[in-house]
Amino acid sequence: MNKKNLAATSLIAAIPAGILLFFALKAVLGSFDKLPTVLMVAMILLLVVAGVMLLFPAYILIYYSGTKRQKAGAEQPVAETGAVPAAVEEDQLDAAFADEEGDEFADDEFGDEFEFDEDDED
C-alpha cells in the first residue's frame, strides 16, 4: 500500500471525525460556560481526538515514508511461493492422497448410506 492509498483509506475515519468536530465545536461555543467540569474536559478531549483524526490523512501525505518491509521488498526480488514444493512430482501427490485400494473417494464419510429425514420440517 503506497502513501496515497493509505491517505485515501484514512479518509474513512476523517470524514465522520470532521462532522463530529463541527457539531462538538458548535456545542462548545454555544454553551461551554454552562457545562459541568467533567463535561468540559470530555468535550475538550473529544475536540482534540476529532481534530487529530481529521488531520491524519494530511499527516500521512506529508510525513509517511513507508515501512522497512516495503523498502526491503523493493530492493530484493520476490521469491516464488507456492503450497507445493517444486521438487514434488504429481505422481507423489496422487499417491499421498490415495487410500489402499487406490480409489480416492471410496471412503466417503457419508457415502450411499446417508438419507435425508423427510419427516423433519423446520
Side-chain angles (χ1 to χ4, degrees):
M1 183 176 276
N2 61 15
K3 184 191 292 193
K4 290 180 183 177
N5 289 343
L6 187 61
T9 303
S10 69
L11 283 174
I12 294 172
I15 293 171
I19 294 169
L20 180 66
L21 181 69
F22 172 74
F23 285 120
L25 190 61
K26 191 175 175 181
V28 165
L29 293 177
S31 63
F32 192 68
D33 54 345
K34 298 174 188 173
L35 292 176
T37 307
V38 175
L39 287 179
M40 285 183 193
V41 171
M43 289 300 286
I44 291 171
L45 287 175
L46 179 71
L47 288 171
V48 169
V49 170
V52 168
M53 290 302 298
L54 184 64
L55 296 175
F56 194 65
Y59 170 78
I60 290 173
L61 284 174
I62 295 170
Y63 295 110
Y64 183 73
S65 63
T67 61
K68 292 180 183 178
R69 175 184 266 178
Q70 288 175 341
K71 291 177 186 176
E75 297 170 1
Q76 299 174 355
V78 177
E80 182 179 329
T81 59
V84 179
V88 177
E89 297 292 326
E90 188 173 329
D91 294 333
Q92 291 174 341
L93 287 175
D94 290 340
F97 291 109
D99 57 37
E100 293 82 30
E101 294 101 34
D103 186 14
E104 291 120 11
F105 302 109
D107 161 58
D108 191 6
E109 184 177 329
F110 298 110
D112 296 330
E113 302 169 8
F114 186 75
E115 296 177 10
F116 288 101
D117 269 344
E118 294 177 9
D119 299 335
D120 212 16
E121 292 184 19
D122 293 332

